[in-house]
Amino acid sequence: MRYHIGNLENEVLVDLYEKMLKPRMIEEKMLILLRQGKISKWFSGIGQEAISVGVTAALKAEEYILPMHRNLGVFTTREVPLNRLFSQWQGKSSGFTKGRDRSFHFGSQEHKIVGMISHLGPQLGVADGIALAEKLRKTKRVTAVFTGEGATSEGDFHEALNVASVWNLPVLFCIENNGYGLSTPTNEQYNCEHLADRAKGYGMECRIIDGNNILEVHSKVAELCKAIRKRPRPILLEFKTFRMRGHEEASGTKYVPQKLMKKWAQKDPITNYEDFLLKKGVLTEANIAASKTRITEEINANLALAFEEPMMESSETKELNDVYHNFDFEHLKLSENTKDIRLVDAISEALRQSMERHNELVIMGQDIAEYGGVFKITEGFTKMFGKNRVRNTPICESAIVSAAMGLSINGMKAIVEMQFADFVSSGFNPIVNYLAKTNYRWAEKADVVIRMPCGGGVGAGPFHSQTNEAWFTKTPGLKVAYPAFPKDAKGLLNTAINDPNPVLFFEHKGLYRSIYGAVPENYYTLPFGKAARIREGNAVTIASYGAGVHWALEVLDGHPEIDAELLDLRTLKPLDIESVCASVKKTNRLIILQEDSLFGGIASDIAAMVMENCFEYLDAPVKRVGSLETPIPFATNLEANYLPKKRFEKELKALLAY
Ligand SMILES: Cc1ncc(C[n+]2csc(CCOP(=O)(O)OP(=O)(O)O)c2C)c(N)n1
C-alpha cells in the first residue's frame, strides 16, 4: 500500500492512526462479549475503519453524517461517549433509544449523526433533505451519507442520487463496496464495472478511492469537501474495501473464498498504516503500546459504567408517551369575517397562510411549482414564496418523503404533496418506518405533513381513486386527518403544519370543488381528536368522515323522519372515540360509514371500541358500511356499485328497524 503524506503534520498522522485503532479495539472487545452472551448482535466493520475515520475526520463537527451498521469509526471519531454506545448496545438507559432499538439505529443531534434504519436505502434521501436545508440557508456545509454496495440496488439509492443531482445538493454519497451484501457477491448484485460509474447517469461527479488507505481516504475526501463547500453539489464516492467478517457474527463467512480473505487481510488498513508510520519514525513500538493501553483502559472503564447500569424499566404510559413528539396545541380563534369558498380553496389558503407564518416551511411535490399542482392548490405560490420553498420534484415519492424527514432533522418544516393518494405506496417505506418510528426510537421529531388527494366517485379507476387512510391509521407514530368541510380543512391543515409529528392529511378530491362553506379569513387552528356533531338526534348515531359525511347528509336530507345524530370524525388518529361513545349512550344505536372497503378499516376499530366500552347501551349490533372488497372499478356504474353510498340508506333503515 502506498501512502502519500502530503502536507499532513505528524500529529495528524498519529491522530488518524489512533482514531482507527479505537473502533478496532472496541470491536475486538465486543466479539468477546458476544461470545459470552453479553451483547446480542454484532455487525463488524473490521477492515473498513479507514473509511469511517477518514470521512468523519475530513468533515467539520457541524456537518451531518449518516452512517451505516459498519461505521463504528464515525461514532468514535465524533467522540460519542463510549459508555453511551455500550449502553445503547445493551438496551440500557444511557444509550440513545431507551432500549427501543438496537446497535447503530439511532441519531444524536449533539454529534450531528443520523443513524440508519434497517431498510438501508431511505437515509440516502434523508441526507438530501438535510443538505437541502444547508443549501437553502447557504451554510456551505457538506452532508455525508454511507451505503453498502448491496443497498445501492434499492430504488432509494437511485432516487436520492437523482434528486441530489437535479437540485444540486451538497451531499457526499459514500459507497462502501466491501464485496458482499450478506452472502451475495458483487457480481450478483450489479452488472457494471464500478458503482461509481453510475454517477455519470445522474450527471454527477464521482471518485473511486482505496478504502483501506487512510491517507488516501482522508486527503481525497477533505479536498472534495472543500470543493463542495465552495460550490454546493453532490459527489458519488466508491470506496473499494472488503468485509473481513460475516454479515453479522452468527452468519459466518463460509461462502467467501479463502483466497480473497487472504488477499484482503494483507491490505488491513491499520497494520499497514502502523508499519508505514513505524518505518517513517512517526510512531514507535512504545507509542503504539501506550495508545493501546490508554484505549483499553477507556474501553474497560466505560464498559464498567454500562454494565453497572440497571436494565431499562418502563411502563405502558411511558412507552405510549414517547410515540409522538410533544406538541402544545395553540388554539388560534376563528375570526368573524368569513368567505364562502370551496374545500380546495380552504386548503390552498391554509398552505399560503402557513407559508407566510413559517419562514422555514418547504412544500415539495410533482408539478406543484409554476404549474400549480394537478389540482391547482399551489397555483401562484412560486411567485409568492419562490421556487426554493415551492419545489417541483422528480417522480420519486420515497426520496422526497425521506428528504422531508431530512429537512425536519435539520430544523425545517416540510409538506409533501402526493399527486394522488394512491401514489403514496411508492413512498410507503419511509413514512411507516422512518417518519412514524423516529420519535419513539431516538426522540427526533418528523415535522412533515403529507397531503393526500384521495377518494372515489370521480370515475378514475383503481389507481386514482383509493382512500387509503387505513394503511396509516394502523401505524403508531402517524397522525391522520380527514376533513369533510372547508372550515375544518383549513383549521386542521394549519394544525397539522404546526404539529411536529408526521401527519397524513387526506383531502377528498370529489369534495374539492363541490363542497362550499363559510371559512374564516384569518389564520386559525382546530384541534385534532375532536369530532364534530353535524346533526343532533336521538334514534341512531352515524359516525363517518370525508365524503361519507356528505353521503349521510344526503340520506338524512331525504328522510327528515330519521332522528339521527351525525358525527364527523375529522381526524382518525387521534380518534375521538369518547364523542362516539357519548352519542351511542344517548341513541343506543351506531352505524359507521366509511368509503374504504370494509375489512381492516377504521369502522372495524370503532365498532370494536364501542362494543368494549358501551356494550350495555346498545339496542342493536353496531353496523359497519363500506365499499366492496374489490379494487375500485373505473366505469361509473361499477364504481357506484362499489361505493357504499347506495347501501348506506338500506343499512341505516335496517338498523333503525332492528
Ligand atoms: C430493505 C431491506 N432488505 C433486506 C435487508 C436485509 N439486509 C440487511 S443488511 C443486508 C446486506 C447489505 O449489504 P450492503 O449494502 O452491501 O452492506 P454491508 O452489510 O455489506 O456493509 C441485507 C440483505 C434489509 N435490512 N432491508
Side-chain angles (χ1 to χ4, degrees):
M1 203 170 298
R2 297 173 67 125
Y3 290 101
H4 298 287
I5 294 179
N7 51 10
L8 292 180
E9 307 275 336
N10 282 356
E11 208 177 293
V12 177
L13 297 175
V14 173
D15 187 49
L16 287 172
Y17 168 73
E18 291 186 338
K19 282 192 160 72
M20 286 199 292
L21 196 56
K22 198 190 242 185
R24 172 72 58 94
M25 290 179 69
I26 293 172
E27 277 217 41
E28 282 166 351
K29 186 76 185 177
M30 289 306 131
L31 296 179
I32 294 168
L33 295 180
L34 188 77
R35 283 194 283 277
Q36 294 172 347
K38 291 185 177 158
I39 55 168
S40 70
K41 216 167 181 159
W42 190 256
F43 295 91
S44 174
I46 286 183
Q48 300 179 221
E49 293 93 342
I51 304 169
S52 302
V53 170
V55 171
T56 312
L59 290 177
K60 296 184 176 171
E62 63 273 21
E63 291 176 325
Y64 277 97
I65 187 161
L66 294 86
M68 292 289 291
H69 47 292
R70 300 192 200 286
N71 297 122
L72 172 57
V74 169
F75 296 83
T76 50
T77 305
R78 281 266 156 111
E79 292 178 357
V80 175
L82 295 191
N83 71 309
R84 294 200 67 191
L85 280 179
F86 299 153
S87 285
Q88 165 66 20
W89 300 334
Q90 293 176 36
K92 292 183 171 174
S93 63
S94 295
F96 292 83
T97 61
K98 299 189 186 172
R100 292 167 186 163
D101 206 343
R102 67 184 195 195
S103 57
F104 296 104
H105 295 192
F106 65 91
S108 164
Q109 287 284 10
E110 187 190 340
H111 302 95
K112 292 278 182 275
I113 289 177
V114 178
M116 62 185 294
I117 66 165
S118 288
H119 294 67
L120 315 167
Q123 70 173 359
L124 294 154
V126 173
D128 281 357
I130 291 174
L132 174 59
E134 304 290 8
K135 190 173 167 173
L136 294 178
R137 291 173 178 154
K138 301 192 171 66
T139 57
K140 303 276 178 195
R141 288 180 192 158
V142 179
T143 300
V145 59
F146 286 90
T147 175
E149 86 290 345
T152 66
S153 302
E154 290 190 60
D156 288 289
F157 172 79
H158 303 274
E159 291 191 7
L161 262 68
N162 187 49
V163 171
S165 184
V166 171
W167 290 356
N168 215 18
L169 301 175
V171 184
L172 204 57
F173 291 100
C174 303
I175 305 172
E176 275 182 89
N177 192 340
N178 64 6
Y180 285 82
L182 215 157
S183 76
T184 306
T186 52
N187 66 334
E188 292 180 33
Q189 192 71 250
Y190 58 87
N191 190 20
C192 54
E193 196 184 350
H194 302 294
L195 285 169
D197 295 342
R198 298 219 152 131
K200 191 167 174 25
Y202 299 109
M204 193 186 286
E205 291 167 53
C206 67
R207 299 285 190 286
I208 294 173
I209 295 175
D210 178 351
N212 283 28
N213 183 329
I214 180 70
L215 295 189
E216 184 176 334
V217 174
H218 182 261
S219 63
K220 287 202 174 155
V221 173
E223 182 192 313
L224 292 171
C225 284
K226 252 191 209 159
I228 295 175
R229 287 180 201 122
K230 214 167 172 191
R231 181 165 64 83
R233 61 190 193 272
I235 297 180
L236 178 64
L237 304 180
E238 180 179 358
F239 296 98
K240 304 284 190 186
T241 185
F242 202 71
R243 201 192 67 203
M244 297 304 295
R245 303 191 65 86
H247 169 64
E248 42 88 31
E249 285 308 308
S251 61
T253 53
K254 266 197 189 135
Y255 46 85
V256 181
Q258 270 309 304
K259 231 170 57 187
L260 265 182
M261 279 290 193
K262 276 198 188 130
K263 179 181 138 193
W264 281 93
Q266 285 171 2
K267 297 192 194 182
D268 185 90
I270 299 179
T271 50
N272 278 288
Y273 187 54
E274 194 178 274
D275 287 348
F276 168 73
L277 294 183
L278 282 170
K279 274 195 201 116
K280 280 265 160 205
V282 176
L283 269 186
T284 61
E285 294 288 357
N287 296 145
I288 296 172
S291 296
K292 288 188 175 169
T293 306
R294 190 177 42 72
I295 297 172
T296 305
E297 281 168 8
E298 188 188 348
I299 293 173
N300 288 340
N302 283 284
L303 262 178
L305 285 178
F307 279 128
E308 271 164 23
E309 218 177 320
M311 287 311 288
M312 273 301 302
E313 270 181 41
S314 196
S315 65
E316 286 184 12
T317 317
K318 275 191 196 161
E319 293 307 299
L320 290 169
N321 280 348
D322 283 350
V323 173
Y324 294 100
H325 207 78
N326 187 40
F327 171 49
D328 291 323
F329 169 71
E330 196 187 351
H331 201 157
L332 297 171
K333 294 283 178 286
L334 291 64
S335 69
E336 303 280 309
N337 295 342
T338 62
K339 259 186 316 194
D340 199 37
I341 56 173
R342 303 167 300 180
L343 188 88
V344 75
D345 307 316
I347 290 167
S348 186
E349 207 166 283
L351 289 176
R352 183 173 53 72
Q353 291 181 352
S354 290
M355 285 291 274
E356 284 163 357
R357 205 177 166 84
H358 304 287
N359 288 331
E360 293 215 310
L361 172 62
V362 172
I363 311 183
M364 302 183 284
Q366 290 150 30
D367 309 290
I368 65 156
E370 291 86 349
Y371 187 72
V374 292
F375 298 103
K376 301 294 171 200
I377 288 175
T378 50
E379 196 158 45
F381 274 43
T382 49
K383 281 222 174 76
M384 286 183 269
F385 307 109
K387 278 198 77 168
N388 272 341
R389 294 180 63 204
V390 185
R391 307 184 74 86
N392 273 344
T393 73
I395 306 172
C396 50
E397 285 76 6
S398 190
I400 296 303
V401 170
S402 304
M405 181 72 218
L407 282 172
S408 170
I409 286 175
N410 208 349
M412 296 184 77
K413 280 178 169 290
I415 297 176
V416 178
E417 174 177 303
M418 286 291 148
Q419 197 153 69
F420 286 83
D422 309 69
F423 303 142
V424 77
S425 47
S426 294
F428 194 67
N429 183 27
I431 297 177
V432 299
N433 286 315
Y434 212 126
L435 276 59
K437 299 181 183 15
T438 304
N439 196 67
Y440 180 70
R441 293 167 55 242
W442 57 281
E444 179 60 35
K445 65 191 183 315
D447 198 346
V448 178
V449 175
I450 307 205
R451 292 188 37 240
M452 302 278 282
C454 65
V458 289
F463 304 115
H464 288 79
S465 309
Q466 294 171 85
T467 179
N468 41 16
E469 66 279 7
W471 297 358
F472 303 100
T473 48
K474 171 75 197 83
T475 306
L478 300 175
K479 294 190 178 181
V480 178
Y482 204 143
F485 296 96
K487 187 172 83 180
D488 291 342
K490 180 172 166 183
L492 290 173
L493 183 51
N494 284 336
T495 302
I497 294 165
N498 290 337
D499 194 323
N501 292 287
V503 181
L504 279 290
F505 196 85
F506 285 82
E507 305 167 6
H508 199 291
K509 52 194 193 286
L511 307 181
Y512 266 161
R513 291 178 162 75
S514 63
I515 300 300
Y516 284 73
V519 175
E521 290 182 30
N522 71 325
Y523 174 90
Y524 64 92
T525 55
L526 289 172
F528 275 33
K530 294 262 179 284
R533 190 161 57 186
I534 307 292
R535 289 275 165 94
E536 228 179 308
N538 294 298
V540 61
T541 301
I542 305 169
S544 192
Y545 54 98
V549 176
H550 298 281
W551 299 335
L553 277 171
E554 235 180 278
V555 171
L556 295 182
D557 286 345
H559 293 278
E561 76 283 4
I562 298 179
D563 182 20
E565 179 137 300
L566 173 59
L567 298 182
D568 171 6
L569 298 168
R570 300 201 287 191
T571 63
L572 305 179
K573 202 91 181 266
L575 179 72
D576 187 3
I577 194 66
E578 292 77 18
S579 292
V580 178
C581 285
S583 178
V584 168
K585 285 180 182 170
K586 180 176 72 167
T587 65
N588 313 118
R589 281 177 164 77
L590 174 64
I591 185 166
I592 311 148
L593 171 59
Q594 76 181 24
E595 178 174 335
D596 194 9
S597 51
L598 206 53
F599 190 86
I602 203 82
S604 303
D605 267 291
I606 294 173
M609 283 189 269
V610 166
M611 239 90 86
E612 281 167 6
N613 294 305
C614 38
F615 180 73
E616 296 82 1
Y617 293 87
L618 289 168
D619 287 345
V622 174
K623 187 72 208 167
R624 297 168 305 145
V625 185
S627 287
L628 291 187
E629 293 295 323
T630 69
I632 309 183
F634 157 65
T636 322
N637 58 334
L638 291 184
E639 191 186 31
N641 184 54
Y642 162 86
L643 290 170
K645 187 175 173 185
K646 271 196 330 201
R647 285 185 293 280
F648 173 67
E649 182 171 342
K650 202 176 103 218
E651 297 291 0
L652 176 63
K653 286 178 180 164
L655 181 63
L656 285 163
Y658 181 89

